[in-house]
Amino acid sequence: MSEHEFAKVVVNRPVYGNDGVFTYAVPVNLRGKVVPGSVVLIPFGKQQTTGCVISLGAEVPPQIEVKQIVGLVEEIPPVSVESIRLARWMASRYLCTLREALSAVYGPSGKRRKREVFFWPSGDFAEILAQLETLKAPAQARVLSTVAAQPGISRRSLLREAGVGGKAVEALIKKGLITEFEQSLPGVFEETPPVLQEPPTLSPEQTAVLEEIRLAIEAKNHRVFYLYGVTGSGKTEIYLQATAAALASGRQAVILVPEIALAHQMIHQFKARFGNLVAVTHSAMVHGERRDQWERVRRGEARVVIGARSAVFAPTADLGLIVVDEEHEPAYKQEQAPRYHARETALARAALTGAAVVLGSATPALESIARCLSGRYRQLRLTGRIDGRSLPGVRIVDLREEFRSGTVSLFSRLLADRIREKLRRREQILLFLNRRGFAAFVLCQACGYVIRCPNCDIALTYHQPETLLCHFCHYRTRYLARCPRCGNPKLGRYGAGTQRVQEEASALFPEARVLRMDAETTARRGSHASILETFRTGEADILIGTQMVAKGLDIPGVTLVGVINADTTLLLPDFRAAERTFQLLYQVSGRAGRGSLPGEVIIQSHCPEHYAVRFSSRQDVESFVRRELALRRRFGYPPYTSMVRVVMSSGEEERVARQAEKFGRVVRELTSDENAVLGPAPCPFGKLKGLYRWHVILRGKRGQAVRELCSEALKHFARTRISKVRITVDVDPQNML
Ligand code: ADP
Ligand code: ZN
């Protein structure tokens, strides 16, 4: 008899007992075929479902009745043993279920239909609008507007959403108004054979950096390098040549980018160097296409994978290198279960496989700085820009002075003047609003005073009736209508959305063509790219945007970048507010003067003396880091502590508050560390999608201990909890809202 009579299976159902792991008997005909990583069909309760085998064994399990595996779903096991180990790591690191972790490592699901057709509008928006007016057949008009709204829509969805038959679609193709493709995304993602390019000769600095990385790759040494250098210092060239080194040693490379839509240039460079060995995975692809790319990697046809965070699970057989570009970006954290951080997961995976890791950024995350300082990362530096171009001049406008001199506009006199000047010279302007203003922060417009929590250093927010509240520890104090520092009676809510900026810009500069790019205008697939294209080709003078425009955007015509208000990010109720502000301002400053014309940057702020604003305007990372680390240490924040954020939500406010209080008590009873718990407090976004939200934040010097404390507390809490309250656990939260 074969030794593997029993298999441990993670059942693909939301079950809470046994961590979702159950033992099944392997029938004789499947012995040797069912292996760890196999997806199998199993009886579960009264039904059949699928599950993933995570181990095999001969011992008789203690269950009374052992059911038998019914069949194999795929002949080749879709999950590797390495992936199972990574999933186990994820489950313990992120306090998620093995099922959630396995579904992440399994990768995109779904099969591609044989011949799937997608539609794109043939002209630009103006043309389409004009055509829409002339179309007399309402069915065709519906098809055209649907395609225009959702470029890349599949035939099936198109027919369903437009509610028409195939005839209207064919008619529009004949008229040349829409085009059909067999692929969902034409453009840089096309499989056109790229023109291969020779690598350039490295600078002496680059040579030294590459040499260290190459040695680690060749020695199959799991080393972590931190490549620290400004934009244009030649980091991408290092990624390219390190990838070449991994391929030369017979292994593969994974390149992670924060957002694939902003990585066109990098993808292009990799394809020009490695041709069809490159696989790109991104969320704009339909599942079937992503699975196709995944399969190319598994079969070894593709040996270089570029993608956003989930590409960290790419099924490479023998991984030699993982690159995490712009490692500080919050986009690397998945905001749904499993709530993993792609950078941390990359480190864990590389440790399992003996791969080298290269993390790169000009503005490192504070967590990464701490690891560089402790020697866990080897820091490598690129000090200059390859093209020798200087950074743009940055000026800070003190909005308090504007306020005192009676300016009521969102545009200071200086910014308005510079915009007029640029418009006269037919140069382009980028206006940046850090994010949608957080509704209720309190700031004195006259002196810039911000009321902060004495315990947490977090900006307090206004709540009715007349209360200021800390969303971390629930500290409360009475709202003062007058500024306690300067006596100005205008202490209050402040902030504006992109829409208001657009309205004011159009009123102030009636001759300018103004575009807006934010969550609202880019909600539709493809609109992000089309807005950028309109701006790039010079069809607009001013682009107004949220952080979307801050990253990766490289438009040579832009010579002025204006930050409407640096304070909106600075005052977020989040201990990373200063770090995020610094990174955004630093990045946004790099957007000006990328072409042949020199650039200038104007940052408006009520808190111009704040170190995040001051140091970012001088591009002084070191000084910022020194100040920020000192504060983090004093208030017990990462990187000096690890955090777990537990969010409770429910349709009933009373209930969620009571449960959060109870959970807080349970945690406090389990620990002697009085700094281990913050809260419970209402989340800054206290109500989302009809659910009231409260959070409790656990923290401690050792991550492992904090996670164990959280698990323990959740177990105790489970006995008495009310089922109608939803609990989410976020380890190393990147978002405190
Ligand atoms: P980063 O990734 O740090 O922004 P890149 O690697 O993209 O920098 O380099 C910036 C520019 O300099 C690119 O146009 C790149 O092709 C070029 N470049 C990089 N290294 C070299 C080199 N050794 N010789 C010539 N050009 C280089
Ligand atoms: Zn507080």
Side-chain angles (χ1 to χ4, degrees):
M1 212 208 293
S2 161
E3 49 183 346
H4 299 318
E5 291 174 54
F6 299 100
K8 287 214 157 91
V9 178
V10 174
V11 176
N12 195 10
R13 282 286 164 85
V15 279
Y16 296 102
N18 297 349
D19 284 338
V21 181
F22 294 85
T23 300
Y24 285 84
V26 183
V28 177
N29 65 326
L30 289 180
R31 292 202 186 143
K33 286 184 184 156
V34 168
V35 295
S38 292
V39 173
V40 289
L41 197 62
I42 43 173
F44 191 73
K46 290 196 174 80
Q47 294 159 314
Q48 280 193 351
T49 183
T50 56
C52 182
V53 176
I54 52 167
S55 63
L56 295 170
E59 79 278 18
V60 182
Q63 275 167 263
I64 299 158
E65 182 206 6
V66 178
K67 291 178 182 166
Q68 241 185 22
I69 289 175
V70 178
L72 259 181
V73 176
E74 289 178 63
E75 277 296 317
I76 307 166
V79 179
S80 68
V81 173
E82 180 198 324
S83 296
I84 295 173
R85 289 172 68 194
L86 190 61
R88 284 187 185 279
W89 173 85
M90 280 173 80
S92 77
R93 180 67 167 69
Y94 292 108
L95 304 177
C96 64
T97 65
L98 250 181
R99 172 176 176 249
E100 286 165 336
L102 278 169
S103 77
V105 302
Y106 177 81
S109 58
K111 288 208 166 61
R112 188 176 185 174
R113 259 162 288 146
K114 269 276 169 320
R115 192 180 161 279
E116 195 162 11
V117 174
F118 303 89
F119 293 93
W120 285 75
S122 311
D124 66 14
F125 280 95
E127 267 173 66
I128 290 163
L129 283 179
Q131 289 291 350
L132 264 178
E133 285 173 11
T134 66
L135 278 180
K136 295 290 174 253
Q140 291 182 25
R142 276 209 302 280
V143 171
L144 185 57
S145 57
T146 309
V147 174
Q150 300 172 61
I153 191 171
S154 71
R155 173 179 283 268
R156 239 188 31 196
S157 317
L158 176 58
L159 295 182
R160 191 184 56 231
E161 291 193 19
V164 297
K167 257 183 28 209
V169 177
E170 307 314 323
L172 285 175
I173 296 173
K174 267 217 191 91
K175 289 184 187 165
L177 292 176
I178 60 174
T179 319
E180 63 178 336
F181 289 87
E182 276 191 45
Q183 235 180 304
S184 68
L185 266 188
V188 286
F189 302 115
E190 251 169 37
E191 297 292 317
T192 45
V195 184
L196 292 186
Q197 278 168 9
E198 285 294 311
T201 311
L202 294 184
S203 70
E205 213 176 28
Q206 282 175 318
T207 307
V209 161
L210 180 69
E211 190 57 16
E212 279 208 39
I213 300 171
R214 203 176 49 77
L215 284 176
I217 293 172
E218 281 171 6
K220 296 205 170 192
N221 204 341
H222 166 58
R223 278 197 82 181
V224 185
F225 297 97
Y226 200 98
L227 186 55
Y228 173 42
V230 298
T231 312
S233 60
K235 295 191 295 296
T236 306
E237 190 54 45
I238 298 291
Y239 304 157
L240 286 159
Q241 300 209 19
T243 298
L247 297 186
S249 71
R251 304 206 287 162
Q252 301 95 36
V254 168
I255 318 297
L256 300 181
V257 293
E259 236 174 293
I260 201 84
L262 302 175
H264 285 208
Q265 228 173 345
M266 170 128 39
I267 292 166
H268 187 81
Q269 282 171 293
F270 271 83
K271 287 201 167 176
R273 205 63 67 79
F274 305 107
N276 290 330
L277 289 179
V278 178
V280 179
T281 67
H282 58 92
S283 54
M285 284 173 161
V286 294
H287 281 287
E289 279 178 304
R290 281 164 80 190
R291 195 73 207 170
D292 285 355
Q293 295 297 314
W294 216 253
E295 290 308 321
R296 283 184 63 219
V297 175
R298 194 195 309 286
R299 289 194 300 266
E301 289 167 27
R303 305 174 65 76
V304 180
V305 186
I306 307 179
R309 55 176 181 263
S310 64
V312 73
F313 305 115
T316 51
D318 188 6
L319 191 58
L321 171 72
I322 308 182
V323 170
V324 186
D325 189 33
E326 305 286 355
E327 60 82 27
H328 64 277
E329 282 292 341
Y332 281 123
K333 185 76 176 357
Q334 166 129 319
E335 295 289 355
Q336 292 135 24
R339 293 180 158 74
Y340 67 92
H341 196 299
R343 180 187 62 218
E344 303 305 305
T345 310
L347 294 172
R349 184 169 178 198
L352 286 174
T353 54
V357 179
V358 177
L359 309 174
S361 173
T363 51
L366 272 286
E367 286 84 348
S368 299
I369 302 254
R371 289 173 184 175
C372 284
L373 292 175
S374 75
R376 201 175 141 196
Y377 296 166
R378 168 90 176 105
Q379 189 177 311
L380 304 171
R381 292 199 66 160
L382 293 174
T383 51
R385 284 173 68 142
I386 295 273
D387 55 15
R389 202 176 289 151
S390 57
L391 292 161
V394 179
R395 277 185 284 181
I396 303 176
V397 172
D398 188 339
L399 287 178
R400 299 170 301 189
E401 276 172 26
E402 292 293 316
F403 175 79
R404 280 184 229 125
S405 63
T407 308
V408 285
S409 165
L410 295 171
F411 293 84
S412 63
R413 289 157 299 173
L414 176 68
L415 181 56
D417 281 352
R418 297 310 298 154
I419 291 175
R420 285 199 191 92
E421 171 68 17
K422 298 294 173 188
L423 289 172
R424 243 195 317 277
R425 290 206 243 147
R426 308 218 146 271
E427 293 170 14
Q428 286 179 299
I429 300 135
L430 199 61
L431 293 179
F432 177 70
L433 196 72
N434 302 26
R435 63 183 300 148
R436 209 155 22 108
F438 184 73
F441 68 69
V442 179
L443 172 139
C444 174
Q445 287 198 56
C447 79
Y449 186 70
V450 175
I451 304 177
R452 290 180 179 271
C453 173
N455 311 320
C456 311
D457 198 42
I458 301 292
L460 299 181
T461 54
Y462 175 79
H463 290 266
Q464 283 179 339
E466 304 296 288
T467 307
L468 293 174
L469 190 66
C470 170
H471 281 282
F472 268 39
C473 74
H474 216 186
Y475 168 85
R476 290 157 171 274
T477 184
R478 210 164 50 82
Y479 172 67
L480 304 159
R482 272 176 189 283
C483 171
R485 189 160 72 182
C486 75
N488 162 47
K490 268 220 141 172
L491 184 71
R493 299 174 36 164
Y494 184 76
T498 44
Q499 207 169 341
R500 191 170 142 214
V501 179
Q502 186 178 25
E503 283 161 15
E504 277 205 22
S506 300
L508 272 174
F509 319 107
E511 72 281 22
R513 296 159 300 170
V514 183
L515 272 181
R516 174 161 68 97
M517 183 157 94
D518 56 20
E520 199 185 317
T521 60
T522 57
R524 300 230 155 98
R525 196 166 140 178
S527 47
H528 181 263
S530 79
I531 293 174
L532 281 186
E533 205 43 41
T534 308
F535 192 54
R536 192 186 303 276
T537 51
E539 284 168 50
D541 308 296
I542 301 178
L543 174 63
I544 300 165
T546 51
Q547 48 260 68
M548 263 183 234
V549 307
K551 295 162 194 168
L553 186 65
D554 193 351
I555 293 173
V558 172
T559 57
L560 172 63
V561 173
V563 177
I564 300 293
N565 188 331
D567 312 331
T568 43
T569 315
L570 207 49
L571 298 181
L572 280 181
D574 185 335
F575 69 92
R576 286 194 185 86
E579 181 182 354
R580 298 274 192 255
T581 307
F582 180 84
Q583 289 164 347
L584 279 166
L585 292 180
Y586 184 102
Q587 243 165 356
V588 102
S589 303
R591 294 302 124 216
R594 307 290 299 269
S596 51
L597 299 165
E600 63 182 293
V601 176
I602 295 173
I603 297 173
Q604 305 192 129
S605 173
H606 286 96
C607 320
E609 67 281 326
H610 191 283
Y611 61 99
V613 178
R614 242 177 337 119
F615 292 134
S616 68
S617 71
R618 290 189 225 142
Q619 311 257 320
D620 184 350
V621 178
E622 275 82 6
S623 300
F624 170 74
V625 162
R626 215 170 304 127
R627 278 291 289 274
E628 183 64 14
L629 281 179
L631 267 181
R632 298 278 181 95
R633 188 195 286 276
R634 193 159 116 225
F635 287 96
Y637 289 128
Y640 297 101
T641 55
S642 287
M643 276 189 176
V644 180
R645 179 183 184 224
V646 178
V647 178
M648 312 223 165
S649 53
S650 158
E652 267 183 62
E653 196 168 14
E654 262 301 294
R655 175 177 284 159
V656 72
R658 256 198 337 265
Q659 289 290 291
E661 295 288 354
K662 193 162 173 184
F663 182 71
R665 272 199 306 277
V666 169
V667 190
R668 285 194 167 91
E669 275 163 21
L670 288 170
T671 174
S672 54
D673 177 2
E674 58 181 36
N675 291 319
V677 190
L678 279 168
C683 298
F685 285 160
K687 193 178 179 191
L688 276 183
K689 294 177 190 154
L691 296 179
Y692 293 92
R693 305 164 74 239
W694 279 60
H695 61 184
V696 180
I697 295 159
L698 282 62
R699 65 174 169 183
K701 290 223 164 64
R702 287 185 48 248
Q704 179 67 24
V706 180
R707 293 191 291 273
E708 276 164 18
L709 174 63
C710 185
S711 303
E712 195 63 18
L714 285 169
K715 254 182 237 151
H716 281 260
F717 184 66
R719 292 190 207 124
T720 54
R721 76 176 259 227
I722 299 169
S723 62
K724 280 184 185 143
V725 175
R726 228 188 104 179
I727 302 179
T728 56
V729 177
D730 192 357
V731 175
D732 303 338
Q734 293 291 310
N735 165 4
M736 311 303 292
L737 297 178

